Amino acid sequence: MTPEASAHLILTNYRRHFGRDLVAVDEPAHAAQALFDAPRAVLSALGPFGSDHLFNYANRTALKLFEYSWDELIGQPSSASAEPVHRDERRLLLDEVGRKGFIENYSGIRIGKNGRRFRIKKATVFNLLDENSDYLGQAATFADYEYL
């Protein structure tokens, strides 16, 4: 999936779940760039429900926070964003989102490529569905975090 298609999927599903836009744009053609440049982290990962999804999108803010380039992150298992000790907690979160469709105000510990730990706060995690409402994966967005 191209970065533009991934951005469209994220933006469409955010609007579907929350009834508002994730980023404000004057022209719909600029939405993918606005999402990539957004000051909040936005990531998505695709895969069957219950599996370890693979990252397919990260905006500039997320790439910087997780210390990856686009080519390094895309295709990696999303579980790599959590330390092994926190992966069970993360799995429970993702299972809950899968069942409910989304959650808001999630907080959890994540780790960057170089081992820098940080706590994300007030994250919104939501399912990504295709035009037939079939499950494709999940996305997350947050603006609040602190380094540990």
Side-chain angles (χ1 to χ4, degrees):
M1 182 177 290
T2 67
E4 293 78 16
S6 294
H8 177 74
L9 182 66
I10 292 165
L11 294 169
T12 300
N13 277 276
Y14 189 89
R15 177 172 268 291
R16 176 189 291 179
H17 288 295
F18 304 105
R20 62 187 184 276
D21 292 326
L22 179 56
V23 294
V25 293
D26 294 331
E27 294 289 326
H30 300 144
Q33 189 64 50
L35 185 65
F36 188 75
D37 294 335
R40 59 184 308 106
V42 180
L43 302 108
S44 67
L46 303 180
F49 182 75
S51 71
D52 191 4
H53 296 65
L54 301 179
F55 282 117
N56 74 305
Y57 183 86
N59 72 349
R60 185 184 326 273
T61 300
L63 292 169
K64 182 178 177 185
L65 182 61
F66 284 90
E67 305 170 303
Y68 283 97
S69 70
W70 178 272
D71 290 337
E72 290 172 323
L73 185 66
I74 302 308
Q76 293 297 315
S78 62
S79 62
S81 68
E83 293 175 300
V85 69
H86 296 288
R87 288 184 183 158
D88 287 341
E89 170 192 320
R90 182 186 160 280
R91 177 81 259 143
L92 292 173
L93 157 78
L94 297 178
D95 288 347
E96 180 180 355
V97 172
R99 289 188 306 277
K100 293 183 176 180
F102 67 89
I103 62 166
E104 297 181 279
N105 295 315
Y106 169 75
S107 293
I109 306 294
R110 294 295 177 267
I111 186 168
K113 177 180 85 170
N114 296 318
R116 190 170 191 184
R117 298 171 68 240
F118 55 95
R119 178 183 311 279
I120 61 174
K121 302 175 183 180
K122 301 177 190 170
T124 299
V125 184
F126 54 99
N127 286 341
L128 297 173
L129 309 174
D130 69 12
E131 61 278 350
N132 298 317
S133 295
D134 292 328
Y135 179 89
L136 297 175
Q138 295 176 334
T141 183
F142 58 92
D144 195 2
Y145 62 89
E146 67 179 337
Y147 290 108
L148 303 176

